[in-house]
Structures are given as C-alpha cells and as structure tokens.
Amino acid sequence: MVKIGISSCFMYPDPSRIVFGPKSLAYVESDMFAYVAEEGVLPVLIPDLPYHRLEPILEALDGFVFQGGTDLAPQTYGETPIVAGRWPGDPYRDKYELKIMDYAFRKGKPVLAICRGFQLLNVYCGGTLYQDIATQLPEATIHRDAQKYDTLVHQIDFVPGTSLEQIYGRLPKPIVNSVHHQGIKTLGENLTILARCPVDGIIEAVEVSDAPDKNIIGVQWHPEFSVGRSTPFLDPLKLYSYFLSKIKK
C-alpha cells in the first residue's frame, strides 16, 4: 500500500475551548483526508516531533501532501508585517513543515503542495508572498470571500506545454476555486510557472524545474474541495493521479 504523509494543521492551547482546551491539537481537514485516501493509498498525518524521531517516520512515506490552513508568517520569508497585528501567520507550523519539505527535496520524494502548501513551496525555494492581495494589489480580482469560500471561482490559464496542460489537455477556460488572500510575490528559484489568473496575473500553479521526473507540483486552489462536483471545475482526481504516478513502485 502506498503511504502518503499529510502535513498537520495546528490548534494551540485555548482555555475557552471546551474539548482539550489546554492542549495543542494536530489535525487534517476532512475533505483532504478523503481526497488522499484513494484505493490503495494510506493517508498518514505527520506528527510534530523532534527531527531525530520524525525522520524514521518520513522515511516510511512514499510522498507528501502539504495542506492549506493558516498564513505563513512574514518573518519566515524575511519580511515584517505590512500592517501591525494583521496576518501574523504561524511561524511554529512554518518551521515544522519546512523540515518536511526539506526532507522531500533531499530525498527526491513526490510532493503535492496545496494552497498554503503552494506558498510554503515558494518560500522554501527562496520566494516571497503578498501578505494580503487586496491590500498590496488592489487592482487584483477577488481571490477570497469568507461567505462564498470554495464557491468563489475564477479562470486560470495554463502555460502552454507545461505539466498542467499535459494533465488536462488544452481546455478553453479552466475554472478553479479561490480561497486565498495571500499569493506569490517573487517566484522562488528553480520554480516553473504552470498557470496564472488571467485577470491579474497572480501565479496559480508551479512545479520544481529540476525535481526528478517533475515530481514536485503546487497549486493555489483546493482540488480536494471539488471532488464530486460537476464542471466547470478542473477534475481534482486527474491532478492527484498525476502526483501518485510519480511515486516509485
């Protein structure tokens, strides 16, 4: 059975929380668990442990999915907050996930990086982020609406000849959900752009140029939220099948 590690989201001690109030929680969003748990795939939520205990677990995994969640902290990519007290991110989770990302890179393991994971991939490769698209790019289209959430959609344009076009073919108007207020500002090293939003040019998908067999890919949207939905969404299972095809049998 193929074992796919999923990076954890964290909730920290909160006395007002009725269940496990004084404890830290590691969790995965349920649509993500269902998305990864295809037939023949065992999803594994990766624990937060000291590296000497974490590494043997990572060695047992065949690939890695980095899920969405809280913002990256500006200090993680060498910036200070553009607005004091807003969008502080989660530096603790950043450090935890960057250890896992570094392991995947060093070992040549397949990676599917989604939303926050897509941004983490860019930062790992030396890039930076817009801390808030609406503030820093007021001319941009709306990329996040708390009420509409994953029903907010927009078109993307594939870069011709790259992996997304190979996965999906030459679709006239690919549509994805949009649940992010941050995005790539400066592109990381050795990253190839696979898709952009045609309205404002925001980068929507990348891959690592020199990764073995192009086995590290990231997308800004949430494919797991579109499973079972009818068109116009891109078929999320085609993307996941592509990722699984990169795993060495």
Side-chain angles (χ1 to χ4, degrees):
M1 180 170 281
V2 172
K3 297 180 288 296
I4 300 298
I6 305 174
S7 64
S8 296
C9 299
F10 296 128
M11 294 178 69
Y12 303 105
D14 178 359
S16 68
R17 191 171 62 229
I18 295 175
V19 179
F20 297 123
K23 298 296 184 179
S24 292
L25 308 180
Y27 67 96
V28 58
E29 189 276 326
S30 60
D31 286 334
M32 176 61 75
F33 243 160
Y35 183 55
V36 174
E38 285 291 296
E39 183 177 355
V41 177
L42 175 66
V44 178
L45 187 62
I46 302 173
D48 174 29
L49 296 171
Y51 192 74
H52 72 279
R53 294 180 59 197
L54 180 63
E55 187 174 24
I57 296 172
L58 301 181
E59 289 175 353
L61 301 174
D62 300 300
F64 300 93
V65 173
F66 290 83
Q67 63 173 324
T70 53
D71 297 340
L72 272 76
Q75 60 263 40
T76 298
Y77 46 94
E79 293 189 1
T80 56
I82 57 172
V83 179
R86 294 290 303 276
W87 316 300
D90 189 343
Y92 185 91
R93 181 177 170 186
D94 295 351
K95 292 177 182 177
Y96 153 81
E97 286 189 307
L98 286 170
K99 288 188 298 185
I100 301 169
M101 185 75 75
D102 185 63
Y103 177 88
F105 267 70
R106 288 187 290 105
K107 300 295 184 177
K109 295 289 185 76
V111 167
L112 175 57
I114 293 172
C115 197
R116 172 194 157 92
F118 164 84
Q119 296 167 7
L120 183 88
L121 172 61
N122 185 63
V123 168
Y124 176 81
C125 292
T128 62
L129 305 176
Y130 291 112
Q131 294 179 34
D132 182 63
I133 292 172
T135 300
Q136 295 176 276
L137 284 178
E139 70 278 11
T141 192
I142 297 173
H143 285 270
R144 187 180 191 279
D145 183 302
Q147 298 302 315
K148 293 183 177 179
Y149 204 65
D150 58 325
T151 64
L152 179 67
V153 303
H154 63 67
Q155 181 184 334
I156 61 172
D157 285 347
F158 299 155
V159 175
T162 56
S163 294
L164 278 182
E165 190 176 76
Q166 294 168 18
I167 295 168
Y168 289 105
R170 296 184 179 182
L171 299 178
K173 291 184 178 181
I175 299 295
V176 297
N177 57 47
S178 191
V179 196
H180 63 106
H181 80 102
Q182 300 193 320
I184 290 178
K185 183 169 67 173
T186 57
L187 186 67
E189 296 181 5
N190 295 321
L191 291 179
T192 298
I193 298 172
L194 305 181
R196 290 182 182 270
C197 173
V199 178
D200 50 29
I202 293 288
I203 298 169
E204 292 282 335
V206 297
E207 69 182 5
V208 177
S209 309
D210 57 0
D213 192 30
K214 296 184 178 180
N215 70 355
I216 300 178
I217 189 169
V219 298
Q220 182 61 83
W221 64 92
H222 283 265
E224 73 277 16
F225 291 167
S226 299
V227 175
R229 291 189 178 182
S230 59
T231 55
F233 295 105
L234 288 178
D235 183 346
L237 298 181
K238 284 189 176 182
L239 178 64
Y240 189 54
S241 294
Y242 173 85
F243 163 68
L244 291 178
S245 75
K246 302 301 177 180
I247 292 172
K248 295 179 180 179
K249 306 301 182 183

